[in-house]
């Protein structure tokens, strides 16, 4: 039963303590009546508290807010007033009150502080009209919170705007990768600027994630693109080597290109083709300890000193050759004439020598011969 006499006495007491006691009694009456409360109690509670709300101290308003914030039958007008109050008062109502409508939340969100927006972002459900305002006005903390909220719904345009704002925020990116409702357009826009760590987290999400599927498609596309580029590079290299052999292109141009880009396989193939030597043997010359065979090969085919320096620089990176050794190698190259190099090359080719280097087949055959020699003869009986 409502103690009207007690309420009347408290209503006449205009002190801060009196107002606090009045609101406390009304709140007890409202909350304790539970789901069976009648409309009279709700109206009485709402009317009286609204009239004295401006006279209550903040501490009292905070207590009131926390006690009624989850009541579904709480007077809407009172809840709106509390939601528009300072954040310590407004926070519990904004985050929890089922009495607030989408329209109420939109109106509040349009002008409220970031703290207020953060409370709205944490509601159990947030519809598209509200998230649109949150995405438009929110800071990183608000956007991260609403993006993490699986009960929040977004219009496609809001998702795209959220992704755009995520460019400079890994926190928003991290929240977005877990959304199962991320549209294809937003996922495509998000993927390029995800960090490697976030991409790894995406990979662990499961096959039903749009981002996982896009990541797999992108990886396949990148692999295909790399393979295509390698094939194109191989074809271009082969065409360049053919042009050098047919004298359409200077050998220096090809040597410089291959040596400076550290394309040792192509350089070995080039020198082998112009010399009519086995590619496997020539490739070994590029990084052999002695540079004498390489000097003969390059000088005999008209490689200039400038282009040969590019080969030496490539050798130096691999063999850790110092400056003094490089100068000595340059002097050795300058000391050998082209005619002398050609005669040496022809002599070696006629003798069937591979500059002292063996092919893999020759190495295998030699190893087999050595093994046989080590087998003891069977004793006669």
């Amino acid at each position: 039963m409502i103690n009207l006499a007690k309420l009347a006495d408290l209503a006449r007491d205009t002190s801060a303590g009196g107002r606090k006691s009045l609101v406390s009694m009304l709140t007890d009456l409202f909350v304790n009546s539970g789901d069976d409360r009648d409309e009279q109690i709700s109206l009485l509670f709402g009317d009286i508290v609204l009239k004295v709300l401006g006279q209550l101290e903040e501490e009292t308003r905070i207590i009131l807010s926390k006690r009624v914030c989850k009541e579904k039958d709480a007077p809407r007008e009172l809840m709106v007033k509390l939601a528009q109050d300072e954040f310590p008062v407004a926070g519990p109502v904004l985050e929890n009150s089922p009495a607030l409508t989408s329209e109420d939340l939109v109106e509040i969100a349009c002008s409220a502080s970031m703290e207020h927006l953060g409370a709205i972002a944490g509601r159990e459900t947030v519809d598209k009209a509200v998230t649109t305002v949150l995405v438009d006005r929110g800071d990183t903390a608000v956007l991260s919170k609403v993006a993490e909220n699986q009960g929040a719904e977004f219009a496609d345009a809001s998702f795209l705007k959220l992704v755009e704002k995520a460019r400079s925020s890994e926190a928003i990116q991290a929240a977005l990768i877990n959304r199962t409702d991320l549209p294809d357009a937003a996922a495509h826009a998000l993927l390029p600027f995800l960090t490697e760590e976030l991409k790894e987290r995406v990979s662990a999400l499961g096959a039903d994630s749009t981002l996982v599927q896009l990541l797999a498609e992108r990886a396949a596309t990148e692999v295909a693109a790399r393979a295509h580029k390698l094939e194109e590079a191989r074809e271009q290299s082969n065409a360049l080597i053919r042009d050098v052999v047919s004298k359409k292109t200077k050998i220096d141009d090809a040597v410089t290109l291959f040596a400076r880009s550290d394309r040792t396989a192509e350089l070995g193939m080039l020198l082998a083709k112009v010399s009519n030597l086995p590619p496997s043997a020539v490739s070994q010359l590029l990084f052999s300890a002695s540079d004498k065979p390489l000097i003969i090969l390059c000088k005999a085919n008209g490689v200039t000193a400038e282009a040969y320096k590019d080969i030496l620089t490539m050798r130096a990176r691999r063999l850790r050759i110092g400056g003094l050794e490089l100068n000595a190698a340059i002097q050795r190259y300058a000391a050998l004439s082209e005619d002398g190099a050609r005669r040496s090359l022809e002599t070696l080719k006629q003798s069937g020598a591979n500059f002292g280097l063996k092919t893999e087949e020759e190495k295998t055959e030699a190893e087999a011969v050595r093994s046989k020699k080590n087998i003891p003869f069977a004793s006669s009986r």
Side-chain angles (χ1 to χ4, degrees):
M1 291 292 294
I2 303 175
N3 190 333
L4 296 178
K6 179 67 172 176
L7 284 176
D9 289 342
L10 290 174
R12 285 191 290 269
D13 185 353
T14 58
S15 66
R19 290 296 183 237
K20 181 177 180 180
S21 297
L22 175 63
V23 170
S24 178
M25 181 177 178
L26 287 169
T27 305
D28 287 341
L29 179 65
F30 175 74
V31 172
N32 293 336
S33 60
D35 294 335
D36 296 328
R37 68 175 66 97
D38 58 33
E39 188 176 357
Q40 181 186 5
I41 293 177
S42 296
L43 290 174
L44 180 66
F45 172 69
D47 288 345
I48 297 177
V49 174
L50 273 171
K51 288 177 181 177
V52 301
L53 191 62
Q55 304 169 33
L56 299 178
E57 295 178 342
E58 184 178 86
E59 181 184 356
T60 303
R61 301 198 308 276
I62 292 173
I63 294 172
L64 171 64
S65 172
K66 290 180 177 179
R67 293 194 65 190
V68 301
C69 65
K70 296 183 180 180
E71 298 293 332
K72 66 178 184 299
D73 294 326
R76 174 171 165 260
E77 188 178 355
L78 174 61
M79 293 298 99
V80 170
K81 285 290 186 182
L82 291 173
Q84 294 171 330
D85 206 327
E86 296 298 319
F87 180 71
V89 179
V93 173
L94 286 173
E95 188 162 356
N96 299 289
S97 178
L100 294 176
T101 66
S102 176
E103 291 76 14
D104 295 332
L105 293 168
V106 167
E107 184 176 352
I108 293 168
C110 284
S111 58
S113 71
M114 290 301 123
E115 288 181 308
H116 288 71
L117 296 187
I120 296 173
R123 289 177 68 86
E124 186 175 349
T125 59
V126 191
D127 67 24
K128 293 179 181 179
V130 179
T131 56
T132 297
V133 180
L134 295 181
V135 171
D136 285 342
R137 292 197 62 231
D139 60 12
T140 298
V142 171
L143 297 179
S144 301
K145 188 172 183 178
V146 74
E148 288 172 353
N149 187 347
Q150 295 300 318
E153 296 180 347
F154 297 86
D156 287 355
S158 293
F159 260 130
L160 288 172
K161 188 172 291 187
L162 194 54
V163 168
E164 184 62 31
K165 292 188 176 184
R167 285 181 177 274
S168 58
S169 171
E170 189 173 338
I172 303 175
Q173 295 173 27
L176 283 172
I177 64 174
N178 291 309
R179 297 216 56 105
T180 57
D181 55 347
L182 197 65
D184 287 349
H188 276 287
L190 175 64
L191 195 59
F193 54 84
L194 289 180
T195 64
E196 290 305 314
E197 179 185 351
L198 288 179
K199 286 179 182 177
E200 290 179 6
R201 287 167 58 180
V202 167
S203 299
L205 290 177
D208 59 339
S209 167
T210 301
L211 281 172
V212 170
Q213 296 171 20
L214 288 178
L215 199 59
E217 291 172 7
R218 184 178 180 185
T221 301
E222 289 177 351
V223 169
R226 284 197 296 270
H228 182 66
K229 286 182 179 179
L230 286 173
E231 184 61 31
E232 281 188 340
R234 188 180 297 111
E235 290 178 0
Q236 290 171 358
S237 297
N238 290 337
L240 180 59
I241 291 171
R242 287 195 297 269
D243 286 347
V244 172
V245 172
S246 63
K247 308 296 184 183
K248 293 180 181 178
T249 300
K250 294 180 180 179
I251 191 172
D252 275 11
D253 294 340
V255 166
T256 297
L257 173 65
F258 293 150
R260 289 183 179 179
S261 56
D262 207 32
R263 292 156 65 178
T264 56
E266 289 89 340
L267 182 58
M269 182 65 70
L270 169 68
L271 295 176
K273 287 289 185 182
V274 296
S275 305
N276 291 317
L277 288 170
S280 58
V282 174
S283 294
Q284 295 177 62
L285 296 179
L286 295 175
F287 300 108
S288 62
S290 171
D291 63 356
K292 184 176 180 181
L294 184 61
I295 289 175
I296 293 173
L297 198 58
C298 291
K299 202 65 177 260
N301 286 290
V303 176
T304 65
E306 287 302 313
Y308 187 69
K309 287 179 183 178
D310 290 324
I311 296 178
L312 286 178
T313 301
M314 182 187 70
R315 277 173 55 84
R317 287 196 297 267
R318 296 285 187 92
L319 303 178
R320 299 181 182 275
I321 296 174
L324 293 176
E325 292 178 84
L326 277 177
N327 287 333
I330 292 170
Q331 291 174 9
R332 286 194 295 272
Y333 193 75
L336 181 63
S337 67
E338 285 191 24
D339 287 340
R342 292 192 190 98
R343 289 194 297 270
S344 297
L345 178 59
E346 286 303 315
T347 300
L348 289 169
K349 286 166 66 175
Q350 289 172 9
S351 67
N354 285 325
F355 302 99
L357 298 169
K358 290 181 168 54
T359 64
E360 289 302 317
E361 291 181 357
E362 291 171 333
K363 289 179 182 178
T364 302
E365 185 178 344
E367 185 63 32
V369 171
R370 282 197 298 271
S371 298
K372 288 180 180 178
K373 288 182 178 180
N374 289 333
I375 298 175
F377 290 107
S379 57
S380 59
R381 298 193 176 200

